[in-house]
Amino acid sequence: MMQKVKIIIADADRIAAHGDEFIHSIPQYYAEKYRNIKVKQEACQELTAGFLLKSYLGVWSDGQLIRNRYGKPMLRSGEICFNLSHSGNYVALAIADMEIGVDMERIMDIHWPSVRKVFSGEKQVRLKQTPEKEQSIQFTRMWTECEAALKLLGTGFAAGAVYENEGRFVHWFQYEDYMVACAANEDFQISVREAGREELVHGPKAAKRQAAGRQAAGHPLGRIRGMMRGEI
């Protein structure tokens, strides 16, 4: 049976607006980062990450988490795997029964020095052959694929190495003006949903039913484009 990955995307500004309602019930690590980070957007991202861990994985204490040498958080129990990513207004949480990596980035202009540093010659050629008006999307997609694969390995770019990621699988999609990629060592199916204040009031299960009703009415997951699968 093919593995399944759930990705939950949360609007950090919306969640943080109700932070007083849950800040004392999330892991202290994220609560402290929220209090200490001076840049509001980054602080809201950390608070929302804690909110997602509490809402979807029942993580309320630092003692339930461990981190590897590069800072990747994992459940101490090892019962389930997850990965977090944030960019701009959004935070993404990926959950699965296998090791995964997820990355979310706002679509960005191509940066050729980074291309030459990070990507293989084959991928550089692919980017150069991409029509100019499509290069930003293609560059961001390839970047998120690469970082998701590195986060799967547990390093991210912190290791200072470039990986070809051969034999790994990736799903990617565009969400508004963001690109999201998820990587794993075996093929998988992916489902995506949005988190909102419903989780604060009703919990994830009730919120899921409300989200399904909104989706049936054409909102909000119409903001997702191009769900694709590939091997990298």
Side-chain angles (χ1 to χ4, degrees):
M1 181 180 295
M2 187 176 291
Q3 294 275 9
K4 296 182 179 180
V5 175
K6 291 194 297 185
I7 295 182
I8 302 100
I9 298 175
D11 184 320
D13 288 339
R14 285 183 60 200
I15 298 299
H18 304 280
D20 290 344
E21 299 175 35
F22 62 83
I23 190 168
H24 298 296
S25 62
I26 66 173
Q28 297 87 343
Y29 173 88
Y30 295 97
E32 287 303 313
K33 293 198 80 170
Y34 172 69
R35 294 186 180 103
N36 294 331
I37 292 177
K38 303 302 182 184
V39 180
K40 181 180 178 181
Q41 186 176 71
E42 295 178 7
C44 291
Q45 290 171 349
E46 297 295 341
L47 184 67
T48 302
F51 165 79
L52 290 175
L53 291 176
K54 173 64 169 61
S55 297
Y56 290 91
L57 293 173
V59 177
W60 55 270
S61 168
D62 286 352
Q64 294 171 268
L65 299 172
I66 57 174
R67 297 175 187 273
N68 73 4
R69 60 181 293 193
Y70 298 107
K72 179 180 179 179
M74 296 167 280
L75 290 180
R76 185 178 295 276
S77 67
E79 293 176 353
I80 198 167
C81 298
F82 75 90
N83 200 219
L84 287 158
S85 183
H86 48 70
S87 180
N89 294 332
Y90 292 107
V91 179
L93 169 68
I95 303 172
D97 290 327
M98 61 180 177
E99 289 293 337
I100 48 174
V102 68
D103 188 48
M104 184 174 195
E105 301 286 349
R106 188 188 295 271
I107 293 173
M108 49 192 166
D109 292 336
I110 192 167
H111 185 252
W112 287 108
S114 296
V115 170
R116 289 187 285 270
K117 180 179 180 180
V118 172
F119 296 135
S120 65
E122 178 184 347
K123 291 179 180 178
Q124 291 181 39
V125 170
R126 193 192 313 170
L127 270 173
K128 290 176 181 177
Q129 293 176 342
T130 301
E132 186 173 353
K133 65 179 182 180
E134 300 173 12
Q135 282 185 343
S136 293
I137 291 178
Q138 178 76 341
F139 168 63
T140 309
R141 180 179 71 80
M142 292 171 65
W143 185 274
T144 56
E145 288 178 351
C146 179
E147 186 154 6
L150 290 168
K151 291 176 73 177
L152 166 66
L153 294 175
T155 65
F157 285 108
V162 176
Y163 296 89
E164 286 304 307
N165 308 320
E166 294 180 0
R168 297 185 176 88
F169 295 86
V170 63
H171 287 265
W172 61 268
F173 58 91
Q174 184 176 338
Y175 179 85
E176 296 183 352
D177 57 343
Y178 293 79
M179 197 67 69
V180 183
C182 185
N185 290 317
E186 57 186 285
D187 203 0
F188 57 95
Q189 295 176 331
I190 190 170
S191 63
V192 185
R193 61 154 308 205
E194 293 176 312
R197 190 173 182 274
E198 293 90 344
E199 279 80 351
L200 295 172
V201 179
H202 306 291
K205 289 186 178 179
K208 184 177 181 180
R209 291 194 294 269
Q210 295 184 30
R214 292 197 303 269
Q215 186 175 356
H219 175 80
L221 294 184
R223 292 183 284 193
I224 293 176
R225 302 183 207 166
M227 186 78 72
M228 298 292 289
R229 179 182 66 82
E231 184 176 354
I232 52 177

